[in-house]
């Protein structure tokens, strides 16, 4: 009995022992399900997931150089290197939030926002530099909070500069934020937003693929123990974009594009860490990025209409009218007039308030004809014109009846252009105009706040004709941060992959504004049966589940709209047998339309259309061709 009592006493003391083993200055925050734990001690942190350390002891903090500000106040300059070094922890706050919200549109009709939050309040220490005795108390001016949110989907943290008596100006020169990964971690390196990926070790030594400079976000990593980790950025609105630079072996540092000037109160963007034992669970948890952004304003957003778009390849009246007719016949929602309609986009003198003199159409005429067919009109405008003419363009485009603007060749990265771009997005909302931002811009979840920002490029899509290896990596990398305008091709002879591979993209790649038949002409299709999938599959959904996959190998994605499910399966350059689970379906029998590559057909597209009946829970086994794919539509039989 004594041994039994002793054992019970020891077990009862374990939680207390675990707590007291932490350093006295350490603070912890744990996700609601207990899997994520972030520990903060001073200006360092570590993160564990499922009991394993996924981010080893790493740095926190920012670098601030306020010499100009302090000189203007005639106060002592002090030391500016490692500004956070003498911050003292003065208090903390803890809250728990558990709500459900409904996006205007999206991949899921309802999103849970559930987290435990820890806020640590720091002030500058009185170490003899700028004390009250000098006539200047730094603590009145210099304070910083570290805000941490622990979700079941990941960890997010940022720096908050609280309001001070005189609205403090701060000149942030860089972040000290690092992520020290376990030795042997590999990363999918991508140097620019529309660049290719290479899988590299986190080593400063030169490798076969080249040295590690700065990698785009999201950055996908794989730990030596097999888990996957993604590093992301959220709510980057008026700050400098951050990439990931290899500071030392296995240690990544947030590399800001440049300095940022802020006035308190101010929140920096969120730094986000997601982990998963299965890579597809990163995909299933990616709405964490939306949760970290402010809600949309309570306003009339009924004019925001996601849909399918077709680019008019000929900028003549006849060519555009024919494209509009095709949109009507195929079931598209929008026609888009791309670069050149108002003149050479790269020239300052090109005036985006009028159609170029060399063109034989007027914009009011085009918009009126499109409206008579139930089709909206999008126009491409280069940033040169947007920067000079935005305040003139928006009321004019509303008068014409323009549905949306595709922003072209935007400057991104610096605080100046980040701020300008998002201010332009806000202005477009005032005029009921939707947006698609092209080139290097990558989302950080701001479409939650600005739902008229439907999509953006920031992806190596079909303009560059990537291979199947790249395409099957994208859901685990670029698409983690939000929708992408991949510009789906089909008949163009430069496409490296099968028609089944391209067809499946409508279900695998999420974009509320989805472009089809890029580089193709109106009526290029000849009534191919498999194109029914593109006609049926919507661009937004009520529920989305990534079923299976491995980065750069294959992906199986399921999405529901109403009572109908759409599934896309894509493989890399290897042929592959895939088993598509159906246990996510409600009980019952389903009619399944299957569109899969079949080279033996000898037809124009070599896509076989078939139909089967499947009982929920029974897997569907398909053979995918090299660089191939399959698309499925499942409807429950009543």
């Amino acid at each position: 009995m004594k041994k039994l009592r002793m054992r019970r006493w020891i077990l009862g003391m374990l939680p207390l022992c675990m707590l007291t083993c932490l350093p006295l200055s350490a603070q912890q925050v744990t996700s609601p399900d207990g899997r994520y734990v972030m520990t903060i001690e001073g200006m360092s942190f570590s993160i564990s997931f499922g009991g394993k350390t996924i981010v080893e002891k790493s740095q926190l903090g920012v670098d601030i150089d306020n010499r100009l500000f302090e000189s203007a106040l005639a106060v002592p300059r002090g030391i500016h290197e490692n500004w956070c070094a003498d911050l003292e922890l003065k208090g903390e706050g803890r809250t728990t939030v558990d709500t459900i919200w409904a996006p205007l549109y999206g991949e899921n009709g309802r999103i849970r926002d559930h987290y435990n939050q820890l806020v640590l309040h720091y002030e500058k220490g009185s170490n003899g530099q700028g004390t009250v005795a000098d006539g200047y108390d730094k603590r009145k001016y210099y304070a910083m909070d570290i805000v941490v949110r622990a979700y079941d989907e990941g960890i997010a943290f940022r720096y908050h500069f609280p309001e001070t008596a005189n609205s403090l100006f701060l000149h942030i020169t860089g972040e000290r934020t690092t992520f020290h990964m376990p030795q042997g971690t590999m990363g999918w390196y991508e140097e620019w937003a529309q660049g290719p990926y290479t899988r590299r070790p986190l080593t400063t030594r030169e490798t076969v693929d080249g040295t590690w400079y700065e990698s785009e976000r999201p950055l996908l990593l794989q730990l030596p123990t097999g888990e996957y980790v993604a590093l992301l950025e959220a709510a980057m609105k008026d700050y400098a974009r951050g990439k990931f630079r290899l500071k030392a072996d296995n240690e990544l540092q947030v590399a800001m594009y440049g300095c940022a000037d802020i006035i308190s109160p101010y929140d920096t963007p969120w730094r986000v860490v997601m982990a998963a034992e299965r890579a597809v669970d990163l995909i299933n948890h990616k709405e964490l990025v939306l949760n970290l952004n402010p809600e949309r304003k309570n306003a009339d957003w009924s004019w925001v209409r996601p849909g399918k778009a077709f680019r008019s390849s000929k900028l003549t009246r006849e060519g555009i009218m024919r494209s509009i007719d095709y949109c009507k016949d195929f079931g598209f929602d929008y026609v888009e007039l791309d670069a050149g309609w108002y003149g050479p986009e790269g020239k300052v003198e090109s005036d985006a308030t009028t159609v170029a003199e060399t063109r034989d159409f007027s914009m009011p005429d085009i918009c009126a004809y499109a409206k008579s067919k139930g089709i909206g009109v999008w126009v491409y405008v280069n940033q040169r014109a947007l920067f000079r003419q935005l305040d003139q363009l928006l009321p004019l485009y509303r008068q014409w009846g323009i549905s949306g603007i595709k922003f072209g060749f935007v400057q991104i990265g610096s605080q100046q252009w980040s701020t300008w771009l998002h201010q332009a997005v806000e202005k477009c909302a005032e005029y009921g105009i939707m947006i698609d931002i092209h080139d290097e811009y990558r989302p950080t979840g701001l479409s939650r706040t600005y739902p008229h920002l439907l999509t953006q490029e920031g992806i190596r899509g079909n303009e560059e004709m990537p291979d199947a290896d790249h395409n099957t990596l994208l859901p685990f990398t670029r698409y983690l941060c939000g929708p992408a305008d991949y510009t789906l091709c089909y008949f163009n002879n430069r496409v490296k992959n099968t028609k089944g591979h391209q067809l499946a993209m409508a279900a695998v790649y999420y974009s509320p504004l989805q472009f089809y038949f890029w580089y193709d002409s109106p009526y290029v299709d000849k009534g191919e049966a498999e194109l029914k999938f593109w006609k049926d599959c919507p661009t937004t959904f009520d529920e989305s589940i990534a079923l299976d996959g491995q980065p750069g190998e294959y992906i199986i994605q399921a999405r529901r709209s109403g009572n109908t499910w759409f599934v896309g399966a894509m493989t890399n350059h290897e042929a592959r047998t895939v088993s598509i689970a159906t246990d996510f379906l409600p009980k019952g029998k389903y009619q399944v339309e299957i569109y899969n590559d079949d080279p033996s057909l000898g037809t124009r597209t070599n896509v076989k259309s078939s139909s089967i009946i499947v009982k929920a829970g029974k897997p569907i086994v398909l053979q995918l061709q090299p660089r191939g794919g399959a698309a499925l539509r499942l409807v429950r039989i009543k």
Side-chain angles (χ1 to χ4, degrees), residues 295-306:
E295 298 178 8
R296 65 181 183 271
K297 290 182 180 179
N298 186 15
D300 178 15
W301 295 100
S302 60
W303 51 274
V304 176
R305 296 186 300 112

Side-chain angles (χ1 to χ4, degrees), residues 285-351:
H285 293 163
K286 65 181 178 179
E287 283 177 329
L288 169 60
V289 176
L290 291 176
N291 276 332
L292 292 167
N293 281 266
E295 298 178 8
R296 65 181 183 271
K297 290 182 180 179
N298 186 15
D300 178 15
W301 295 100
S302 60
W303 51 274
V304 176
R305 296 186 300 112
K308 304 172 186 178
F310 178 82
R311 179 180 68 158
S312 181
S313 58
K314 291 187 178 180
L315 294 178
T316 63
R317 187 180 188 278
E318 180 183 3
I320 297 170
M321 298 297 191
R322 182 171 169 80
S323 295
I324 292 171
D325 291 341
Y326 182 56
C327 289
K328 174 67 175 179
D329 292 345
F330 194 91
F332 292 146
D333 303 285
Y334 299 106
V335 67
E336 189 250 355
L337 280 59
D338 218 76
W341 68 268
Y342 63 89
E345 61 169 312
K347 291 190 175 181
V348 174
E349 59 266 27
S350 292
D351 182 2

Side-chain angles (χ1 to χ4, degrees), residues 17 111 157 159 332 364 471 497 550:
C17 291
I111 298 174
F157 61 91
Y159 307 106
F332 292 146
N471 288 343
N497 310 301
Q550 287 293 329

Side-chain angles (χ1 to χ4, degrees), residues 454-506:
L454 291 183
T455 192
Q456 48 273 302
E457 192 177 15
I459 191 171
R460 191 176 187 84
N462 258 158
E463 284 187 327
E464 289 86 6
M465 298 296 178
D467 62 19
D469 292 10
H470 175 87
N471 288 343
T472 51
L473 181 58
L474 289 175
F476 304 93
T477 52
R478 165 61 182 85
Y479 279 96
L480 291 181
C481 65
D485 188 4
Y486 183 93
T487 57
L488 278 58
C489 286
Y490 202 71
F491 289 104
N492 190 276
N493 59 15
R494 291 180 294 149
V495 177
K496 296 182 175 70
N497 310 301
T498 71
K499 297 295 187 288
H501 187 96
Q502 299 295 120
L503 198 70
M505 290 178 178

Side-chain angles (χ1 to χ4, degrees), residues 145-185:
D145 296 343
I146 296 177
V147 183
V148 184
R149 291 183 183 176
Y151 292 79
D152 292 346
E153 296 78 19
I155 293 282
F157 61 91
R158 67 181 177 187
Y159 307 106
H160 170 75
F161 296 92
E163 184 176 9
T164 55
N166 66 335
S167 297
L168 177 63
F169 166 85
L170 293 169
H171 181 64
I172 299 176
T173 58
E175 279 198 28
R176 292 194 165 240
T177 311
T178 62
F179 300 91
H180 193 168
M181 308 306 297
Q183 186 175 359
T185 296

Side-chain angles (χ1 to χ4, degrees), residues 255-293:
M256 291 171 56
Y257 183 93
C259 299
D261 293 324
I262 68 168
I263 296 177
S264 63
Y266 187 87
D267 292 302
T268 66
W270 294 98
R271 306 301 169 203
V272 185
V273 181
M274 296 170 59
E277 282 135 8
R278 298 191 317 151
V280 290
D281 286 334
L282 295 175
I283 302 173
N284 291 324
H285 293 163
K286 65 181 178 179
E287 283 177 329
L288 169 60
V289 176
L290 291 176
N291 276 332
L292 292 167
N293 281 266

Side-chain angles (χ1 to χ4, degrees), residues 398-566:
R398 180 171 64 179
Q399 178 184 337
W400 284 350
I402 297 295
S403 298
I405 301 174
K406 183 196 288 188
F407 286 25
F409 284 99
V410 295
Q411 298 293 320
I412 49 90
S414 71
Q415 183 186 32
Q416 173 192 353
W417 288 115
S418 295
T419 303
W420 176 87
L421 181 61
H422 295 119
Q423 287 176 343
V425 169
E426 290 178 333
K427 285 185 178 181
C428 286
E430 298 173 15
Y431 291 90
I433 292 176
M434 295 176 284
I435 304 169
D436 174 5
I437 303 176
H438 257 234
D439 303 297
E440 288 287 290
Y441 178 80
R442 281 200 164 172
T444 60
L446 287 168
S447 287
R448 179 185 182 184
T449 312
Y450 308 115
H452 63 298
L453 173 53
L454 291 183
T455 192
Q456 48 273 302
E457 192 177 15
I459 191 171
R460 191 176 187 84
N462 258 158
E463 284 187 327
E464 289 86 6
M465 298 296 178
D467 62 19
D469 292 10
H470 175 87
N471 288 343
T472 51
L473 181 58
L474 289 175
F476 304 93
T477 52
R478 165 61 182 85
Y479 279 96
L480 291 181
C481 65
D485 188 4
Y486 183 93
T487 57
L488 278 58
C489 286
Y490 202 71
F491 289 104
N492 190 276
N493 59 15
R494 291 180 294 149
V495 177
K496 296 182 175 70
N497 310 301
T498 71
K499 297 295 187 288
H501 187 96
Q502 299 295 120
L503 198 70
M505 290 178 178
V508 174
Y509 293 166
Y510 172 66
S511 182
L513 180 72
Q514 190 79 274
F515 276 87
Y516 293 87
F517 297 115
W518 197 256
Y519 293 125
D520 287 330
S521 300
Y523 299 101
V524 66
D525 65 292
K526 304 301 180 185
E528 284 81 4
E530 74 269 13
L531 292 176
K532 180 179 182 295
F533 185 80
W534 273 7
K535 293 181 179 182
D536 292 341
C537 186
T539 64
T540 61
F541 305 90
D542 299 312
E543 186 178 358
S544 297
I545 307 171
L547 299 176
D548 197 7
Q550 287 293 329
E553 297 181 18
Y554 70 102
I555 177 66
I556 303 173
Q557 174 76 53
R559 303 187 189 274
R560 179 179 62 83
S561 176
N563 295 320
T564 303
W565 284 89
F566 300 87

